[in-house]
Amino acid sequence: MVRVSKVLLRDGAIGISKTLSEILVCPLSKQPLRLCEESNSLISDAMGISYPIVDGIPCLVPKFGKIIDFDGAPKPEGAVDSTDEKGTSKGYPAG
C-alpha cells in the first residue's frame, strides 16, 4: 500500500498518470487527448480545447473546457475570436 501511495503522489505532481492520459478521449470529438504538463491540462488537438486537471482529476465536462489559441495557450475567460471578412476564424484551421 505504501508503494502505491508513493507512485500516486509522484504521478499526482504532474496531474494524472501518463497511462490514464493515454486512455482518455475528448468527450466531444472522441479523439485522443494530449497531456500538457506545462498547463496541467489535457488538450484535444482535434477540437482545440484544453480540459483542466484539478487535484489529479481530469475535468472532461465540455463546459469546463477552454478554447486554446493556435499557439497552444488557453484563451482568457470571455475572449472573443476575431474573424476575417469571409467570417472565417483567423489562426484556426478550417474544419
Side-chain angles (χ1 to χ4, degrees):
M1 182 68 174
V2 174
R3 281 189 222 157
V4 173
S5 298
K6 287 181 182 177
V7 170
L8 289 174
L9 287 173
R10 186 189 71 226
D11 288 345
I14 62 166
I16 61 172
S17 71
K18 294 210 184 250
T19 305
L20 180 58
S21 70
E22 291 170 358
I23 296 170
L24 295 174
V25 296
C26 175
L28 299 173
S29 70
K30 309 299 186 238
Q31 298 299 312
L33 294 168
R34 173 174 52 90
L35 177 63
C36 179
E37 294 178 9
E38 183 178 309
S39 65
N40 195 31
S41 63
L42 293 168
I43 308 291
S44 171
D45 291 320
M47 298 291 293
I49 298 176
S50 170
Y51 295 99
I53 300 171
V54 180
D55 296 328
I57 302 170
C59 298
L60 298 179
V61 178
K63 73 177 185 177
F64 294 129
K66 296 195 186 314
I67 297 173
I68 55 175
D69 285 332
F70 189 71
D71 62 359
K75 280 187 174 183
E77 292 288 328
V80 178
D81 188 28
S82 62
T83 56
D84 61 14
E85 60 277 353
K86 296 178 188 173
T88 310
S89 293
K90 294 180 181 179
Y92 292 96

